[in-house]
Amino acid sequence: MEKQARRAQVLRHAKRIFARKGYHRTNVADIISRARIARGTFYLYFENKKDLFEELLEQVLRELAVRIHRIRIGPGEPEPADQLRANLRRVMSFVLSERDLTNILLSHALGFDPELDERIQTFYDRIAAQIQRSLDLGITMGLVRRCDTRTAAYCILGGVKETIAQLSRQAPPDIDGLVEEILRFGLSGVARPELLETLRNIGEP
Amino acid sequence: MEKQARRAQVLRHAKRIFARKGYHRTNVADIISRARIARGTFYLYFENKKDLFEELLEQVLRELAVRIHRIRIGPGEPEPADQLRANLRRVMSFVLSERDLTNILLSHALGFDPELDERIQTFYDRIAAQIQRSLDLGITMGLVRRCDTRTAAYCILGGVKETIAQLSRQAPPDIDGLVEEILRFGLSGVARPELLETLRNIGEP
Amino acid sequence: MEKQARRAQVLRHAKRIFARKGYHRTNVADIISRARIARGTFYLYFENKKDLFEELLEQVLRELAVRIHRIRIGPGEPEPADQLRANLRRVMSFVLSERDLTNILLSHALGFDPELDERIQTFYDRIAAQIQRSLDLGITMGLVRRCDTRTAAYCILGGVKETIAQLSRQAPPDIDGLVEEILRFGLSGVARPELLETLRNIGEP
Amino acid sequence: MEKQARRAQVLRHAKRIFARKGYHRTNVADIISRARIARGTFYLYFENKKDLFEELLEQVLRELAVRIHRIRIGPGEPEPADQLRANLRRVMSFVLSERDLTNILLSHALGFDPELDERIQTFYDRIAAQIQRSLDLGITMGLVRRCDTRTAAYCILGGVKETIAQLSRQAPPDIDGLVEEILRFGLSGVARPELLETLRNIGEP
DNA sequence: GATGAATGAGTCTTCATTCAT
DNA sequence: GATGAATGAAGACTCATTCAT
């Protein structure tokens, strides 16, 4: 498994450089000098520069997707709000542990290849759709106020993305507190006003 | 001023191409062939390719900044919520009228030059700060519930950005309705629960 | 027409280098240094290295094709043998005046691109077919002995090609004499006419 | 001798690939994957890629040379024409049995290395010289008409080469018939014997 | 002997920018 | 001012060959 290790090594270095300089300002020369391999070795492990970049991108998308669980309703399932909280925590802690990957996704992924743009857009759209479905479900269950859930979904997604962007820029604060703050912001926003009295206590002792 | 007209003409063409293909995939050749000027002429009007791109970027940032007014409290001033609504409307209608510029800002601006990244980040930070100040003010005035206004500000900013991104992708829907939806989402989120009863009527007859 | 002149200049230099070193051992660097142009200038005039090479090749094939006239029978037309002689003379003098081109065709054209190989093969096949048609006509007219005209055609073509190859290698001799020699060989072979009666039966029962 | 067998195996595979794709478009990777040996192993058996190619080339030249016997005059020797016929038959049947080698010689050998070009040229020159000597002898013996034997030799060589090239491209026809056809062409040309009297004066004062 | 991962020199090609006309 | 031919630095990628295991 030496070979895989070497490959992972190159990926690790490339990740860091791509995160700092973006795709276009990163040369293959940069990567190989950091990874201390020869030019040809690079092409032994990766089809080309774009291929490597895409692999990193796929990696973030995959890892993020894994951490976002569908909200489940039913006996034995945690409270929806708790499921949301868990989702956010998983995402946030991943972001913190993989700032470079996050940075690549947020700052350098968009706009350099139509196909890849599509790929990313689809990823976000899927998440937005998932949020929207949860909201629709919440309305049915009487937990969420009536609203344009599509717009609300994008507002929530956007809010999370922006907070994450901040997170990847600055020293990592108290994740749990941050998550609570976002949750409260989001929930109070979409919850049915009549239920606000009840929901207000979510996440508080 | 013939010269200024010519220059504007080039800017207009470049804007469209940059919006579609991004900075790196757009050649000077693309621009000059669209603008029907000679290669050399391009450099009479613009320092270089990057310069032109930055000018477009400055343009969006400027236009957006102009449309975002500081919330003012005082006798004779409109309700804060109405001021928010007006801000959002101005921004949204600008986005709709200048989708290419918006697209450049949202999809192609980040990550190709550290200096420019800084410039854009500062722009967003300034807006976030402005939102945060408004929230802090709202708290003081008893309109906004106590919360981490910094995080809330980024959530609001993110939500608006994401909605705008959607807007620039799809056929323009009912802007006013969209604005109300965002407003309600945001206000219900940050407003003091005790005031929700009152705020709920915002934007409704 | 300055531009065409420059282009022709590059073609001229490239022709010489390709003739001496072949396609693969010739670098773009070789060509541009000989032609005293910058790297980029090369690509201003030619799609790429292969493109330039193919253009030279097309040029030889075209020039040769133009010099090989179809044998015409009819009142007012020269004797067939004279038409053959004229064809050979035109081809031979072209070869002499364009030794580099000839060399490219004979030594470097084959086997570096399937498509091009096809192109060249087709060219030769067309000439062989033309010769064969003339032979068939000659048989009909009682000028040519009965034989496998297809094989005879390839023998004639091969003989001419080989002589040309010699021509392009060595100091140019008396072209007219050479042409006569080839003609006589093609028409009557090497055997002493007096002995043909005997030899004619060779290999036949 | 296991080693020799292995080596021959590689040669066999390489021969086929070189014949199809030529020297430059054939990678060492192609060869080793076909021969199912490791990269390093290749270099145990051959100095380098060129070396292997040259070995194949030497092989054809050697095999061909072996099959071309000098024409011998004397009591107990077969008729010169029969000796010619035997030569042609040996060469032709070798060509048929080793089409790949023939193809390498005819299509891919020339023009990729000056030294090798020289080698091949010398080979052909030697054959041409041999033919020429035979012709000169034939003249002395009164079998061959007076002519420029050098040119005639190249015509004969060329005719044979071209026929062989056809042979290696197409389905193998009746070899013996082909040989007779070539022989007859060489000996008596294409003109009807009855007309030779007239034609003999062609081009002469 | 055999292996195949590693090497890096060698090439082509692109494209923003310049400058003589 | 306008032009567009010319420039050349920069960068991606290939592939024959080596060498440690």
Side-chain angles (χ1 to χ4, degrees):
Chain A
M1 203 60 14
E2 182 54 44
K3 176 153 182 178
Q4 282 307 312
R6 193 72 181 263
R7 194 186 142 90
Q9 175 80 352
V10 178
L11 271 170
R12 200 158 41 245
H13 287 294
K15 175 167 59 182
R16 161 153 281 183
I17 305 177
F18 276 135
R20 302 212 186 305
K21 316 209 304 186
Y23 180 80
H24 290 286
R25 297 198 310 125
T26 298
N27 304 340
V28 172
D30 293 335
I31 298 172
I32 64 176
S33 78
R34 277 281 173 159
R36 294 184 167 278
I37 57 170
R39 227 178 189 74
T41 310
F42 177 89
Y43 289 92
L44 217 56
Y45 292 114
F46 304 94
E47 194 85 27
N48 50 44
K49 182 180 148 190
K50 190 184 163 193
D51 188 55
L52 165 52
F53 185 74
E54 287 183 357
E55 183 161 334
L56 287 173
L57 208 56
E58 295 291 343
Q59 193 180 322
V60 217
L61 297 186
R62 210 183 319 117
E63 295 286 357
L64 285 176
V66 160
R67 281 165 175 76
I68 302 174
H69 300 181
R70 196 171 299 257
I71 304 296
R72 295 175 187 281
I73 308 295
E77 298 286 357
E79 284 290 306
D82 289 334
Q83 294 184 45
L84 284 175
R85 178 181 299 109
N87 273 345
L88 271 178
R89 276 183 181 160
R90 278 189 296 266
V91 168
M92 292 295 183
S93 66
F94 170 74
V95 163
L96 269 194
S97 70
E98 286 283 12
R99 290 210 209 177
D100 284 337
L101 274 186
T102 307
N103 207 17
I104 287 174
L105 175 61
L106 291 176
S107 296
H108 307 296
L110 226 55
F112 96 103
D113 179 79
E115 199 182 322
L116 223 52
D117 282 11
E118 177 68 22
R119 178 90 184 71
I120 296 165
Q121 201 49 258
T122 301
F123 172 78
Y124 286 138
D125 281 347
R126 205 165 294 171
I127 294 179
Q130 200 167 324
I131 297 175
Q132 189 179 356
R133 270 197 306 276
S134 300
L135 292 177
D136 287 333
L137 183 64
I139 290 176
T140 310
M141 295 176 63
L143 296 171
V144 172
R145 70 167 168 89
R146 303 205 159 277
C147 64
D148 174 1
T149 52
R150 204 169 164 284
T151 298
Y154 278 111
C155 283
I156 292 169
L157 174 61
V160 173
K161 278 170 68 176
E162 195 71 24
T163 324
I164 285 175
Q166 288 308 314
L167 208 60
S168 77
R169 280 208 299 156
Q170 295 174 19
D174 165 32
I175 290 285
D176 285 354
L178 185 63
V179 165
E180 291 312 318
E181 206 62 47
I182 297 172
L183 259 186
R184 246 177 270 157
F185 175 82
L187 284 175
S188 301
V190 298
R192 261 180 75 196
E194 295 78 15
L195 296 176
L196 273 181
E197 201 68 16
T198 324
L199 291 168
R200 211 183 330 158
N201 299 320
I202 284 170
E204 291 185 339
Chain B
M1 183 90 3
E2 181 54 42
K3 168 151 182 177
Q4 280 310 311
R6 194 84 178 262
R7 195 185 140 91
Q9 174 82 347
V10 178
L11 271 168
R12 200 155 42 243
H13 286 294
K15 174 168 59 182
R16 160 153 281 186
I17 305 175
F18 277 134
R20 302 211 187 303
K21 315 211 302 187
Y23 180 80
H24 290 286
R25 298 197 310 125
T26 298
N27 302 338
V28 171
D30 293 334
I31 298 172
I32 64 174
S33 79
R34 278 282 173 153
R36 294 181 167 282
I37 58 169
R39 241 185 166 67
T41 312
F42 178 90
Y43 290 90
L44 288 179
Y45 292 123
F46 303 95
E47 192 81 28
N48 51 41
K49 182 183 156 190
K50 190 183 161 195
D51 189 55
L52 165 51
F53 186 75
E54 289 182 354
E55 184 161 335
L56 287 173
L57 208 58
E58 295 291 344
Q59 193 179 322
V60 219
L61 298 186
R62 209 183 318 118
E63 294 285 356
L64 285 176
V66 159
R67 280 165 177 76
I68 302 173
H69 300 181
R70 195 171 300 257
I71 304 296
R72 295 175 187 282
I73 308 296
E77 299 286 356
E79 284 291 305
D82 290 333
Q83 293 184 46
L84 285 175
R85 178 180 300 110
N87 274 346
L88 270 178
R89 278 183 179 160
R90 277 188 298 266
V91 167
M92 292 294 184
S93 65
F94 170 74
V95 163
L96 270 193
S97 69
E98 286 282 11
R99 290 209 208 178
D100 285 338
L101 275 186
T102 306
N103 209 14
I104 288 174
L105 176 60
L106 290 177
S107 297
H108 307 295
L110 225 56
F112 95 104
D113 179 78
E115 199 181 323
L116 221 51
D117 281 11
E118 177 67 21
R119 178 86 184 74
I120 295 165
Q121 202 48 261
T122 302
F123 171 78
Y124 285 137
D125 281 348
R126 204 165 295 171
I127 294 178
Q130 199 167 324
I131 296 175
Q132 189 179 356
R133 270 198 306 277
S134 299
L135 291 177
D136 287 333
L137 184 63
I139 291 176
T140 310
M141 295 176 64
L143 296 171
V144 173
R145 70 168 167 88
R146 301 206 160 276
C147 64
D148 176 359
T149 52
R150 202 169 165 283
T151 297
Y154 277 112
C155 284
I156 292 170
L157 173 60
V160 172
K161 278 171 69 176
E162 196 71 24
T163 324
I164 286 175
Q166 288 307 313
L167 208 61
S168 78
R169 280 208 300 158
Q170 295 174 17
D174 165 33
I175 290 285
D176 284 354
L178 186 64
V179 166
E180 291 312 318
E181 207 61 48
I182 298 172
L183 259 185
R184 248 178 267 157
F185 175 83
L187 283 175
S188 300
V190 299
R192 262 181 73 194
E194 295 80 27
L195 297 177
L196 274 180
E197 201 68 17
T198 325
L199 291 168
R200 206 182 338 155
N201 301 320
I202 284 170
E204 293 184 340
Chain C
M1 204 55 19
E2 181 54 44
K3 174 153 183 178
Q4 281 308 311
R6 192 74 180 263
R7 194 186 142 90
Q9 175 81 353
V10 178
L11 271 169
R12 199 156 43 244
H13 286 293
K15 175 167 59 181
R16 161 153 281 184
I17 305 176
F18 276 135
R20 301 212 188 304
K21 316 212 301 186
Y23 180 80
H24 290 286
R25 298 199 308 123
T26 299
N27 304 339
V28 172
D30 293 335
I31 299 172
I32 64 175
S33 78
R34 276 282 172 157
R36 293 183 168 277
I37 57 170
R39 231 181 184 72
T41 311
F42 177 90
Y43 290 91
L44 218 56
Y45 292 114
F46 305 94
E47 194 85 27
N48 49 44
K49 184 181 148 190
K50 190 184 164 196
D51 188 56
L52 166 52
F53 186 75
E54 288 183 357
E55 184 161 334
L56 288 173
L57 208 57
E58 294 291 342
Q59 192 180 323
V60 218
L61 297 186
R62 209 183 320 119
E63 294 286 356
L64 285 176
V66 159
R67 281 165 175 77
I68 302 173
H69 299 181
R70 196 170 300 257
I71 304 297
R72 296 174 187 283
I73 307 296
E77 299 287 357
E79 286 290 308
D82 289 334
Q83 294 184 45
L84 285 175
R85 177 179 300 109
N87 274 344
L88 271 177
R89 277 185 179 158
R90 277 189 296 265
V91 168
M92 292 294 184
S93 66
F94 170 74
V95 163
L96 269 194
S97 70
E98 286 283 9
R99 291 210 208 177
D100 284 337
L101 274 186
T102 306
N103 208 15
I104 288 174
L105 176 60
L106 291 176
S107 298
H108 307 295
L110 225 54
F112 97 103
D113 178 79
E115 199 181 322
L116 222 53
D117 281 11
E118 177 68 22
R119 179 91 183 71
I120 295 165
Q121 200 50 259
T122 302
F123 172 78
Y124 285 138
D125 281 348
R126 204 166 294 172
I127 294 178
Q130 198 167 323
I131 296 175
Q132 189 180 356
R133 270 197 307 276
S134 301
L135 291 177
D136 286 333
L137 183 66
I139 291 176
T140 310
M141 296 175 63
L143 296 172
V144 171
R145 68 170 169 88
R146 301 205 162 275
C147 63
D148 174 359
T149 52
R150 202 167 166 285
T151 298
Y154 278 112
C155 284
I156 292 170
L157 174 60
V160 173
K161 276 170 70 175
E162 195 70 25
T163 326
I164 285 176
Q166 288 307 315
L167 208 60
S168 77
R169 281 209 299 158
Q170 295 175 19
D174 165 33
I175 290 285
D176 284 355
L178 185 63
V179 165
E180 291 312 318
E181 208 60 49
I182 297 172
L183 260 184
R184 246 177 269 157
F185 174 81
L187 289 174
S188 57
V190 297
R192 263 184 70 195
E194 295 78 14
L195 298 176
L196 273 183
E197 203 66 18
T198 326
L199 292 169
R200 211 182 333 159
N201 301 319
I202 284 171
E204 293 184 339
Chain D
M1 182 86 11
E2 181 55 40
K3 168 151 182 176
Q4 281 309 309
R6 193 83 177 263
R7 194 184 141 89
Q9 175 82 347
V10 178
L11 271 169
R12 200 155 42 244
H13 286 295
K15 174 168 60 181
R16 161 152 280 184
I17 306 176
F18 276 135
R20 302 211 186 303
K21 315 211 302 186
Y23 180 79
H24 289 286
R25 298 197 310 125
T26 298
N27 302 338
V28 172
D30 292 334
I31 299 172
I32 63 174
S33 80
R34 279 281 174 155
R36 295 181 167 281
I37 56 169
R39 243 188 165 66
T41 312
F42 178 90
Y43 290 91
L44 288 180
Y45 292 123
F46 304 94
E47 193 82 30
N48 51 41
K49 181 182 157 190
K50 190 183 161 194
D51 188 55
L52 164 52
F53 185 76
E54 288 183 356
E55 184 161 335
L56 287 173
L57 209 57
E58 295 291 344
Q59 192 180 322
V60 219
L61 298 186
R62 209 182 318 118
E63 294 285 355
L64 285 176
V66 159
R67 281 165 176 77
I68 303 172
H69 300 181
R70 194 170 301 256
I71 305 294
R72 296 176 185 283
I73 308 294
E77 298 288 355
E79 285 290 307
D82 290 333
Q83 295 183 44
L84 284 175
R85 179 179 300 110
N87 274 345
L88 270 178
R89 277 184 180 160
R90 277 188 297 267
V91 167
M92 291 295 184
S93 64
F94 170 73
V95 162
L96 270 193
S97 69
E98 286 282 12
R99 290 209 208 177
D100 284 337
L101 274 185
T102 307
N103 210 14
I104 288 174
L105 175 61
L106 291 176
S107 296
H108 307 296
L110 225 56
F112 94 104
D113 178 78
E115 198 181 322
L116 220 54
D117 282 10
E118 178 66 23
R119 179 88 185 72
I120 295 164
Q121 202 49 258
T122 302
F123 172 79
Y124 285 138
D125 280 348
R126 203 164 297 171
I127 295 178
Q130 199 168 325
I131 297 175
Q132 188 179 356
R133 269 197 307 277
S134 300
L135 291 177
D136 286 334
L137 184 64
I139 292 176
T140 311
M141 296 174 63
L143 296 172
V144 171
R145 69 171 168 86
R146 301 206 159 277
C147 63
D148 174 0
T149 52
R150 202 169 166 284
T151 297
Y154 278 113
C155 284
I156 292 170
L157 173 61
V160 173
K161 277 171 66 177
E162 195 71 24
T163 324
I164 285 175
Q166 287 308 313
L167 208 59
S168 76
R169 278 209 299 156
Q170 295 176 17
D174 165 33
I175 290 285
D176 285 355
L178 186 64
V179 166
E180 291 312 317
E181 208 60 49
I182 297 172
L183 261 183
R184 245 177 272 155
F185 174 82
L187 289 174
S188 59
V190 297
R192 262 183 70 195
E194 296 78 11
L195 299 175
L196 275 182
E197 204 65 20
T198 325
L199 291 169
R200 206 170 350 146
N201 301 319
I202 284 172
E204 293 186 337

